[in-house]
Amino acid sequence: MKARKYVFLILFFSAFMPKTVFPAEIQPHISLHDAAAKLNAKLFWDPLSGVVILSKNGHNANLRVGDEIVLFDYREFALLDPPVRRDGNVFLTPAFVDYLENFFETLPPSIAYRVGAILIDPGHGGKDPGAVGKITKNGKASDIREKDIVLKVAQDVYSRLKAQYPDKKILLTRSDDTYLSLEERVEKANSVKLEPHEAILYISIHANSAFNPASAGFEVWYLTPDYRRTVIDKSSGNINDDILPILNFMMEEEFTTESMLIAKYISDGLELQIGDVSANRGLKEEAWFVVRNARMPSVLIELGFVSNSAEAARLADDRYLQKCAAGIYNGLSVFISHFENSRGFTAQ
Ligand SMILES: [Zn+2]
């Protein structure tokens, strides 16, 4: 039985697993309540769905009647004897309970999972200016380019995160006016080395442009939930081909949930900082190339429209860009504390 570090959502694992019936006579089983008492863990049991969650010191083990997969902290899994239901009760094998005991004992209390790295990706750069708008400063007209705006904000977010989280890897895809292809950005994101129990967040920063000069405001995008992508890096683990698509699906759902949360927190953070002058266009979902190919929770922020004259003037103002950076940073901070401190039932 191998535990592997992958992400997925408990709600989806059951529907895709073959239902195995464990022969009850092989060994004496331990009832769920006795197991919870032995483990000194809190028990959540939903007889309707068959979902069982055992929780201790901020760690969760999720299992389900008839399924061999057990999820640990929504990140790792093991294949164990499927729990069986008899006379309205659920029973586990002693080996199953031993495995749970080992899981709960070997992890430090309440630091179930942490954000190990944040990759900030300022869009465009070099030969690719991104969206270009016009501003008039002291009677002089000049261009304002997306690649410059997003680099300033990205560097600011980077500095703030670096100061606040010295123990996390804070990274930029580019720190100057360099051109990077989308593939190179994805490659950078996917090649960041993480410790066990660490997650990486991918934050792409852009500015908008529209034919309608009245279009204005900021928006945060996350991946559309029904988009299918390959999130498991097959080379990194000993994954059985049968289980790969299932894990992939579950990880994807978990990433989507987390991406939506990050998007929400960043949107709220921006609202607090710039909501008085810029319209909050809300959360959007889309399958952006960079976002859908990064094997991690990821969002894309559009700071505003350079095609709107009032907004272009704001985006040309460094103090305004600092507010944007503060909004993004604050949103990320809220997500990090949520992610690292409440990976409990509500984290679903
Ligand atoms: Zn862009």
Side-chain angles (χ1 to χ4, degrees):
M1 300 297 133
K2 288 195 175 68
R4 292 285 167 207
K5 298 166 209 65
Y6 295 112
V7 189
F8 31 80
L9 197 63
I10 176 81
L11 300 175
F12 296 89
F13 79 81
S14 59
F16 301 88
M17 288 305 299
K19 297 284 182 289
T20 325
V21 179
F22 188 79
E25 63 281 3
I26 286 180
Q27 48 182 320
H29 283 56
I30 300 169
S31 84
L32 206 50
H33 288 91
D34 288 349
K38 183 169 189 272
L39 297 165
N40 194 23
K42 261 190 254 163
L43 172 65
F44 169 85
W45 151 236
D46 176 17
L48 213 62
S49 63
V51 169
V52 176
I53 304 175
L54 287 154
S55 176
K56 186 180 179 179
N57 294 334
H59 298 287
N60 294 315
N62 298 44
L63 41 131
R64 187 165 158 145
V65 172
D67 281 342
E68 60 185 335
I69 290 189
V70 184
L71 307 186
F72 296 109
D73 289 340
Y74 308 97
R75 297 282 157 179
E76 300 179 9
F77 75 93
L79 302 180
L80 301 170
D81 316 306
V84 292
R85 195 195 304 233
R86 269 203 318 262
D87 309 324
N89 230 324
V90 175
F91 294 89
L92 309 174
T93 60
F96 198 122
V97 177
D98 286 350
Y99 199 101
L100 292 177
E101 194 163 25
N102 185 53
F103 163 72
F104 285 125
E105 272 170 14
T106 52
L107 287 174
S110 68
I111 319 162
Y113 218 85
R114 66 188 293 274
V115 173
I118 303 171
L119 179 58
I120 315 286
D121 176 35
H124 313 278
K127 67 182 182 188
D128 172 16
V132 180
K134 294 259 180 264
I135 49 161
T136 314
K137 229 179 189 173
N138 307 324
K140 251 183 81 182
S142 63
D143 282 350
I144 176 172
R145 295 171 304 186
E146 177 183 359
K147 67 171 184 176
D148 302 323
I149 298 168
V150 298
L151 180 59
K152 279 184 190 167
V153 173
Q155 283 173 324
D156 194 344
V157 173
Y158 171 87
S159 309
R160 289 168 197 259
L161 289 170
K162 197 103 175 145
Q164 185 61 33
Y165 303 105
D167 58 333
K168 298 188 193 303
K169 283 182 187 163
I170 311 297
L171 307 157
L172 283 164
T173 51
R174 65 177 178 100
S175 52
D176 54 21
D177 187 19
T178 309
Y179 174 78
L180 280 173
S181 70
L182 294 178
E183 290 81 359
E184 285 170 322
R185 291 169 204 267
V186 171
E187 176 55 29
K188 275 188 193 229
N190 290 335
S191 63
V192 174
K193 292 276 171 286
L194 296 170
E195 298 299 318
H197 308 291
E198 281 191 346
I200 175 171
L201 313 180
Y202 185 91
I203 313 296
S204 200
I205 304 178
H206 288 252
N208 236 330
S209 178
F211 286 116
N212 181 355
S215 297
F218 62 92
E219 55 201 35
V220 186
W221 296 75
Y222 60 90
L223 191 76
T224 175
D226 57 9
Y227 190 83
R228 292 286 161 259
R229 56 184 173 162
T230 302
V231 285
I232 288 181
D233 179 2
K234 237 184 130 177
S235 63
S236 74
N238 177 15
I239 303 285
N240 177 323
D241 277 348
D242 296 340
I243 212 166
L244 187 72
I246 302 159
L247 286 179
N248 209 42
F249 181 80
M250 294 191 238
M251 274 178 75
E252 181 187 295
E253 293 297 338
E254 174 69 7
F255 283 156
T256 301
T257 305
E258 289 171 0
S259 298
M260 286 170 72
L261 271 180
I262 300 169
K264 169 84 174 83
Y265 290 139
I266 289 179
S267 182
D268 291 349
L270 285 169
E271 169 81 45
L272 278 171
Q273 292 292 323
I274 59 172
D276 55 337
V277 290
S278 183
N280 185 347
R281 298 165 62 91
L283 303 185
K284 316 257 174 174
E285 48 178 71
E286 181 64 274
W288 292 89
F289 177 86
V290 171
V291 176
R292 74 169 186 253
N293 287 293
R295 288 188 293 264
M296 59 202 63
S298 27
V299 298
L300 189 147
I301 302 153
E302 295 278 6
L303 296 169
F305 288 75
V306 296
S307 46
N308 176 276
S309 58
E311 196 141 66
R314 283 196 292 273
L315 292 167
D317 178 352
D318 283 351
R319 282 165 307 176
Y320 186 75
L321 298 187
Q322 283 160 19
K323 284 187 172 186
C324 293
I328 295 168
Y329 164 78
N330 288 340
L332 281 170
S333 299
V334 175
F335 176 79
I336 290 166
S337 39
H338 169 91
F339 186 83
E340 295 185 345
N341 299 325
S342 63
R343 299 286 295 164
F345 303 148
T346 55
Q348 293 177 31

